[in-house]
Amino acid sequence: MYQTFTLQEKVKQISIMLIPILITQLGMFAMVFFNTIMSGRYNASDLAGVAIGSSIWNPVFTGLSGILMAVSPIAAQRFGEKKNKEVTSIVKNGMYLGFIIAFAVIIIGTVLLNPILNSMNLPQAVEGTARGYLIGLSFGIIPLFVFNVLRSFIYALGKTRVVMIILFCSLPINFFLNYVLIFGHWGFPELGGAGGGYATSFTYWFILAMTAFIVKTKEPFSGYHIFSNLQDFSWERCQEILKIGVPMGLSIFFETSMFAVVTILISKFNVTTIAAYQSALNIVSFLYMIPISISMAQTVLVGFEVGAGRYKDAKAYSWLGIYLSIFIALLTGLLVVLFRYEVAGFYSNERAVIALTAHFLIYALFFQISDAIQATAQAALRGYKDVNISFIITLIAYWLVCLPVGFLLANNTSMGATGYWIGLTIGLLAAGICLSMRLIYIQKRKFVSAEVREAG
């Protein structure tokens, strides 16, 4: 990263960081896609088992990974301040936290996995696949969490292309392992859907090994000596990460769990409605990778400029990310609406499902714009390390606006399942507006502080 002076330079800087992050997110999505598609080709019960296992794992993973994502804004600020030794300390202690959290998840999962699955009253074959899939994933929890710390470090230095290349190299391995472990080809055991969990875990170990090798041997990462003197544990550094990371992780957890709850509530409708909702949600989730990628770049750039004391530039990057995200959400949303029947046709051959999916996608346009605002406003606040109020805002918006409004509209009006889309949109828009107001307040307070220091 480097200091920029014009709007054109800022657009170029954020684009250089954004595109590799977006491709990386697509790569992560492709790994889940391989698991789902190949399990479905094996048989329907294995597909259901993988879906159940993923629904249990995803909120846990995204929430806990959010804690470790705090390494990115903290390291970016230290990098902006030219405090390289503190960057090294933050990353080392982030890896310690990654190990601790991973071990805790494994231990808790060992205790709770069977009770959770038993309480769901699943068919025996589906329950067996879900259990095997989650056990397979458990072997990759440690490398996944440590990789997320190293990825945050790499992003903090603005070298986002490195992670993109690593993900590209890992995709063929993941595809191959899914193929041989699910279907039992070439002398490998036939594990069905559970094989997708083991394939993903082995891929995570490969990704971690490649990332660690690059961080240890290639500039500028090797200059930070991340893997030297690893016994340098600092509870103070861990507390700093947790202070920023826990609200971040909880915000992400409550967002993903909110969607999981809506999915459960939708399940009371007929099969056509459930299939249409899941298809529309999958399309929206895919498109959401664009604002989430913008937000990752935005957090690093804002943090870098705040660390360097360039508050005007930090403000510019904050709003540039928000405006860019809204523009892209509007553009992609309009395209989806215009071609909604064609897009829906990718997910089903049934006319009723296609028609209802297309209907949901009309509301998805407004949903995307609202989601784009809240995601990037929240990301800018993370760059300022302002996360506690953001967490409260999102908690209220998700659980006291989104769900109640959606439930009331779906169950007390003629809207049916469409009410949930409207509820989600209203809640996300409320979050976006409140987070933007918080961002304005933080920026004014920062500028006032800077001006006072300069005057003094």
Side-chain angles (χ1 to χ4, degrees), residues 92-272:
K92 284 183 180 179
N93 285 280
M95 288 195 295
Y96 275 119
L97 277 179
F99 273 108
I100 293 168
I101 292 171
F103 276 118
V105 171
I106 293 169
I107 293 169
I108 294 170
T110 302
V111 174
L112 295 182
L113 178 58
N114 285 332
I116 290 172
L117 290 175
N118 292 336
S119 69
M120 299 177 75
N121 297 317
L122 300 168
Q124 187 175 355
V126 175
E127 181 179 329
T129 299
R131 180 182 292 104
Y133 179 75
L134 288 169
I135 290 172
L137 280 178
S138 69
F139 289 96
I141 292 176
I142 291 175
L144 175 60
F145 283 8
V146 176
F147 162 71
N148 276 330
V149 174
L150 294 177
R151 178 173 70 158
S152 295
F153 164 58
I154 293 170
Y155 282 177
L157 300 189
K159 305 297 182 181
T160 55
R161 189 178 301 177
V162 173
V163 182
M164 178 191 72
I165 293 170
I166 292 170
L167 258 294
F168 264 142
C169 293
S170 69
L171 284 178
I173 294 172
N174 181 251
F175 181 84
F176 170 79
L177 290 174
N178 268 289
Y179 179 70
V180 297
L181 290 175
I182 290 175
F183 296 99
H185 293 308
W186 297 356
F188 285 84
E190 184 179 343
L191 301 176
Y198 290 96
T200 301
S201 289
F202 293 146
T203 307
Y204 287 151
W205 281 106
F206 172 79
I207 290 171
L208 175 61
M210 280 194 68
T211 307
F213 174 77
I214 290 171
V215 168
K216 184 175 177 60
T217 61
K218 304 297 181 183
E219 290 289 345
F221 316 112
S222 59
Y224 289 84
H225 307 291
I226 298 299
F227 297 107
S228 64
N229 195 25
L230 282 176
Q231 67 270 27
D232 183 23
F233 177 81
S234 168
W235 179 238
E236 182 182 347
R237 294 292 185 213
C238 290
Q239 283 182 312
E240 183 179 3
I241 296 170
L242 290 171
K243 184 178 178 181
I244 305 297
V246 169
M248 287 173 59
L250 287 174
S251 294
I252 296 169
F253 172 77
F254 284 122
E255 182 177 4
T256 53
S257 59
M258 174 195 68
F259 282 100
V261 170
V262 170
T263 300
I264 293 170
L265 293 172
I266 287 283
S267 65
K268 79 166 203 169
F269 293 91
N270 58 44
V271 173
T272 299

Side-chain angles (χ1 to χ4, degrees), residues 258-446:
M258 174 195 68
F259 282 100
V261 170
V262 170
T263 300
I264 293 170
L265 293 172
I266 287 283
S267 65
K268 79 166 203 169
F269 293 91
N270 58 44
V271 173
T272 299
T273 301
I274 297 169
Y277 171 79
Q278 290 294 344
S279 299
L281 184 62
N282 189 268
I283 294 164
V284 169
S285 298
F286 178 78
L287 293 174
Y288 179 63
M289 285 188 286
I290 299 174
I292 202 67
S293 299
I294 293 172
S295 71
M296 288 180 178
Q298 187 184 15
T299 294
V300 172
L301 289 167
V302 172
F304 175 70
E305 298 296 350
V306 169
R310 295 189 288 266
Y311 297 108
K312 183 178 179 180
D313 292 315
K315 181 180 180 181
Y317 276 122
S318 299
W319 294 103
L320 177 61
I322 293 171
Y323 297 146
L324 179 63
S325 186
I326 294 171
F327 173 75
I328 294 176
L330 181 61
L331 180 63
T332 56
L334 286 172
L335 288 173
V336 167
V337 169
L338 289 173
F339 299 100
R340 59 189 181 278
Y341 289 99
E342 290 80 1
V343 172
F346 285 116
Y347 288 84
S348 178
N349 294 320
E350 298 181 24
R351 288 186 178 181
V353 174
I354 292 173
L356 189 54
T357 302
H359 172 72
F360 287 155
L361 288 175
I362 295 174
Y363 296 93
L365 166 63
F366 305 101
F367 174 91
Q368 280 181 247
I369 295 172
S370 301
D371 212 6
I373 297 170
Q374 71 88 23
T376 46
Q378 191 169 186
L381 287 166
R382 288 170 182 165
Y384 287 106
K385 297 200 295 187
D386 184 80
V387 293
N388 292 320
I389 300 298
S390 302
F391 161 64
I392 295 170
I393 290 171
T394 53
L395 176 61
I396 293 172
Y398 298 154
W399 286 87
L400 298 182
V401 179
C402 282
L403 283 176
V405 171
F407 184 84
L408 289 172
L409 291 176
N411 294 279
N412 295 281
T413 70
S414 60
M415 291 182 180
T418 302
Y420 284 111
W421 283 104
I422 296 174
L424 289 169
T425 302
I426 292 172
L428 290 170
L429 182 60
I433 292 170
C434 292
L435 289 167
S436 298
M437 291 171 64
R438 175 66 181 177
L439 180 61
I440 292 169
Y441 169 75
I442 285 294
Q443 289 171 340
K444 285 184 176 179
R445 189 179 71 178
K446 289 284 183 181

